[in-house]
Amino acid sequence: MPLVSASSSLSPAPPTSGARTIYKYRVRVSDVSKILCHRHHNGTEEYLVRWNVAEGSATNKRTICSWHCLGELSKCLHHVQEYLETLPKSQPAASRSAPFATIPAVGSGSGSGSRKRKFSRDSDTPVSSSGVLTLRDSGYLSREPSVISIDSSSAASEAAPIQTPTVYNGILQRKEGSIVAKKSRDPAVQLTDARTLPNQAMLSDAARASVTAAEYAIQAAFQAKLQSVKNVEWENHVDNTAPSLNFTFVSDFVLGEGVYRPEADAHVGCETCRPNMGQNIGCEYPRLCACLEYAAVDENRLQPGDQARYVQYQKDQEDDGYLADSHGLPKRFPYQRSKDPQVPSTLMKFYLESRYPIYECNLNCNCGPICKSRVVQKGRRVPLVIFKTANERGWGVYCKEQLVKGEFIDTYIGEVLTNEATGRREMLSAEDRASYLYSLDKFIGDDPDNDLTNETCYVVDGQYMGGPTRFINHSCEPNCRQYTVSYNKHDLRIYDLAFFAVEDIPPRTELTFDYMDKDEEEEEIVRKKRKKDAADPKNHDKRPCNCGARKCRGYLWE
């Protein structure tokens, strides 16, 4: 069945008649160690859970395992998702649902009708009145009743007779809305060597059983997460997967333990600037704006009387780097604003082609909110789409609108961690796992107190928390670049990582940036280096780069 786009005027399939099953008792996410297998049982999709209680582990032969329908696993769908990712890609097409169509953005301004989502599903699959498959609907797909303990004392407390699922090495009980697993001495408890699960019979059943209901439930769960993010959609025209459910969208940095950031009301702002200066766009005189204290000097505006002061500034740069004293010299404003309100502000050429920090005004400035030096802090204004790439590069991002060179796109956010906390996470993660870590090391060596080092700088981790830019892919020839943007010139530890377009980008073109943030090299030099690296045995275990660019370096990390 063909995909239906987000802009389609077709209405969703009508809800199926009949009562839905509402699952009052569910498995707690903290109790699940892993999903081991799946099956169809009495017409219901079920998943085999290895419990994380009572010494639950892959090496303990008495670990409790049990089968559960999706309604009971609605809090643990990221575990189900991780299991589905292990299934062979050669699974018969008949057992896979059609790819997932575009999900409209929240607040996209296209009316309530644009928020419909369409599935290619059998006509007897229930949907809500809005056309969205909800977690309750996924429970309806499984008509198995909720789990009850096979322990007689617990069963006596429930009036309605309920069918018990298959449980190994223990019992299941209802407790305060949750399903819990416990060891039991009841001779009726089936004892199995958990190390042998799933057994060959289970694997054979799984090879024939579809996972369609789980795919729908996971897709719906990710869409629910995305509801809090304005003007972002997602789509998948490749397969039936959804982005990771083990990810939370946030709107700002989340400070981890031991991380400190000055409050916004403590920021130092410009005092001599006014909203009505120049063209009524705030800060206008680069020698006067205090927010530009450490901004790049504009050599083109130097006066004859500035020469001695400029020579001293150049000497100071050798010792103080980006914090060199440039008092009294003309500075460079970061952005240029068009007289046409429909044309976005763009990053000045100097900043676009350099790595110099960008300083914006802040809430304590006298220039007012209309100041031309406030862009990144106002947040993303462009509509983004998270999409599944067709070249095995996972999820990517594109913009629905034309982006012009120098236009701000969005920031990279996540958890801000100390170096020690980052090290602990790296030790726990697999070597081949994608890295979402970015060190805030821009000002190392410039700190007059020498407190900022590679060991003391903070790190941003976007793996589990962040925004849509977390899904932007790498390219050795990117169309975007990441820049340092600060609203507090005295805070060297925390600043924004802002993406700007470095070229005009047509609509629906994948956005990319260079993970290694390297300067551009000639194609012939890159080609020779790539050939040399490919012949080096040390690189055979490195992660290949699949960006497809002419200047591809061959490996994602060096």
Side-chain angles (χ1 to χ4, degrees):
M1 185 176 291
L3 286 167
V4 181
S5 68
S7 59
S8 173
S9 60
L10 295 177
S11 300
T16 303
S17 60
R20 291 191 179 103
T21 299
I22 301 176
Y23 286 86
K24 181 179 179 181
Y25 295 92
R26 298 175 182 176
V27 177
R28 296 178 301 199
V29 62
S30 60
D31 288 343
V32 176
S33 171
K34 190 176 183 180
I35 302 296
L36 301 176
C37 198
H38 75 284
R39 70 180 184 184
H40 279 192
H41 181 64
N42 294 337
T44 300
E45 253 180 55
E46 292 186 342
Y47 291 83
L48 182 60
V49 172
R50 178 198 292 153
W51 286 79
N52 198 30
V53 295
E55 300 179 355
S57 71
T59 59
N60 189 333
K61 67 179 182 179
R62 290 294 175 259
T63 294
I64 301 176
C65 299
S66 55
W67 291 95
H68 296 273
C69 60
L70 288 169
E72 293 154 356
L73 297 175
S74 60
K75 295 181 178 180
C76 315
L77 287 177
H78 70 280
H79 284 295
V80 178
Q81 185 181 42
E82 290 172 357
Y83 165 71
L84 296 187
E85 290 173 353
T86 68
L87 298 182
K89 295 181 179 180
S90 58
Q91 197 169 359
S95 66
R96 309 292 287 181
S97 61
F100 192 67
T102 304
I103 298 296
V106 177
S108 60
S110 55
S112 59
S114 68
R115 288 196 292 273
K116 297 174 182 175
R117 77 187 253 187
K118 300 292 291 183
F119 289 90
S120 249
R121 61 156 70 95
D122 296 335
S123 60
D124 60 349
T125 302
V127 294
S128 67
S129 58
S130 64
V132 176
L133 184 72
T134 65
L135 294 181
R136 180 179 296 182
D137 296 322
S138 70
Y140 178 85
L141 293 174
S142 174
R143 293 181 173 82
E144 288 284 309
S146 296
V147 177
I148 190 170
S149 169
I150 61 174
D151 182 276
S152 58
S153 61
S154 176
S157 64
E158 299 291 341
I162 298 180
Q163 177 183 348
T164 58
T166 302
V167 185
Y168 309 98
N169 303 326
I171 61 171
L172 302 179
Q173 293 179 325
R174 286 172 169 171
K175 184 179 180 181
E176 298 177 351
S178 298
I179 301 170
V180 296
K182 291 185 177 181
K183 294 286 187 179
S184 175
R185 296 180 180 178
D186 191 321
V189 172
Q190 181 176 348
L191 297 179
T192 301
D193 187 346
R195 296 172 298 183
T196 66
L197 298 179
N199 56 39
Q200 190 57 49
M202 293 176 180
L203 294 174
S204 297
D205 289 343
R208 297 188 297 269
S210 71
V211 293
T212 304
E215 290 171 338
Y216 287 150
I218 290 167
Q219 292 163 356
F222 182 78
Q223 173 60 12
K225 284 178 172 288
L226 200 60
Q227 290 298 321
S228 63
V229 189
K230 185 178 180 181
N231 217 9
V232 175
E233 306 172 8
W234 77 281
E235 66 181 22
N236 186 350
H237 297 276
V238 177
D239 54 30
N240 309 289
T241 61
S244 175
L245 295 181
N246 198 20
F247 178 78
T248 301
F249 286 97
V250 294
S251 58
D252 199 356
F253 285 136
V254 178
L255 305 187
E257 184 177 356
V259 175
Y260 169 75
R261 186 182 197 181
E263 297 293 335
D265 57 9
H267 296 178
V268 176
C270 53
E271 297 179 355
T272 59
C273 302
R274 296 290 184 271
N276 60 353
M277 293 175 69
Q279 304 173 38
N280 291 317
I281 53 175
C283 300
E284 185 69 16
Y285 303 107
R287 293 177 184 264
L288 301 178
C289 182
C291 292
L292 298 181
E293 180 178 356
Y294 302 127
V297 171
D298 189 349
E299 291 83 357
N300 296 325
R301 295 193 177 189
L302 289 172
Q303 300 297 322
D306 295 328
Q307 292 304 318
R309 180 72 190 85
Y310 182 62
V311 170
Q312 182 61 47
Y313 164 75
Q314 290 179 308
K315 292 181 179 179
D316 292 341
Q317 277 190 312
E318 297 179 3
D319 297 325
D320 302 328
Y322 292 123
L323 301 185
D325 181 11
S326 58
H327 178 73
L329 295 174
K331 316 294 176 55
R332 294 180 183 271
F333 281 112
Y335 309 111
Q336 56 186 357
R337 181 185 292 181
S338 171
K339 294 181 180 180
D340 184 350
Q342 301 300 317
V343 177
S345 296
T346 54
L347 196 59
M348 297 289 282
K349 181 179 180 181
F350 170 84
Y351 290 100
L352 195 64
E353 297 177 352
S354 71
R355 306 302 173 90
Y356 213 96
I358 299 164
Y359 293 95
E360 293 193 359
C361 290
N362 58 60
L363 297 176
N364 297 327
C365 294
N366 289 331
C367 54
I370 64 170
C371 178
K372 66 180 181 182
S373 288
R374 303 189 189 196
V375 173
V376 172
Q377 63 192 266
K378 293 183 178 180
R380 175 176 51 82
R381 302 297 179 91
V382 298
L384 299 180
V385 177
I386 301 168
F387 74 103
K388 189 65 174 286
T389 64
N391 55 359
E392 297 186 356
R393 297 172 69 230
W395 298 91
V397 177
Y398 71 76
C399 182
K400 298 174 66 177
E401 300 176 352
Q402 165 89 14
L403 293 171
V404 298
K405 185 176 181 178
E407 184 174 359
F408 168 61
I409 300 171
D410 202 354
T411 57
Y412 187 90
I413 54 178
E415 299 173 87
V416 184
L417 309 174
T418 62
N419 188 64
E420 293 79 6
T422 303
R424 290 192 294 269
R425 287 197 179 184
E426 288 181 307
M427 290 180 63
L428 295 173
S429 63
E431 290 186 3
D432 60 346
R433 184 179 293 274
S435 176
Y436 300 93
L437 301 174
Y438 291 88
S439 294
L440 297 176
D441 55 3
K442 183 69 172 179
F443 298 103
I444 288 180
D446 301 335
D447 180 11
D449 299 323
N450 295 319
D451 292 334
L452 189 61
T453 65
N454 287 317
E455 290 70 35
T456 61
C457 72
Y458 297 146
V459 179
V460 180
D461 187 357
Q463 180 171 359
Y464 303 108
M465 296 182 184
T469 57
R470 183 259 199 189
F471 299 94
I472 296 181
N473 276 319
H474 161 84
S475 175
C476 297
E477 290 186 84
N479 51 23
C480 304
R481 182 179 287 174
Q482 208 173 56
Y483 296 86
T484 294
V485 179
S486 175
Y487 325 131
N488 181 6
K489 60 187 179 183
H490 297 309
D491 187 359
L492 307 183
R493 291 182 173 274
I494 299 182
Y495 44 81
D496 274 2
L497 303 169
F499 289 101
F500 288 82
V502 294
E503 61 186 47
D504 293 338
I505 305 176
R508 301 185 66 86
T509 300
E510 182 177 2
L511 306 180
T512 58
F513 74 104
D514 188 345
Y515 286 3
M516 298 294 292
D517 200 23
K518 285 183 170 290
D519 293 324
E520 187 174 357
E521 296 179 315
E522 294 295 329
E523 182 177 353
E524 182 64 19
I525 295 176
V526 175
R527 186 185 63 80
K528 290 181 178 180
K529 187 176 184 298
R530 183 173 65 230
K531 184 177 180 180
K532 178 182 178 181
D533 290 344
D536 190 339
K538 295 187 302 183
N539 295 323
H540 289 174
D541 293 332
K542 286 186 177 181
R543 188 171 181 177
C545 176
N546 298 317
C547 72
R550 292 180 300 108
K551 297 182 181 181
C552 179
R553 298 189 289 267
Y555 298 99
L556 189 58
W557 306 107
E558 294 184 356

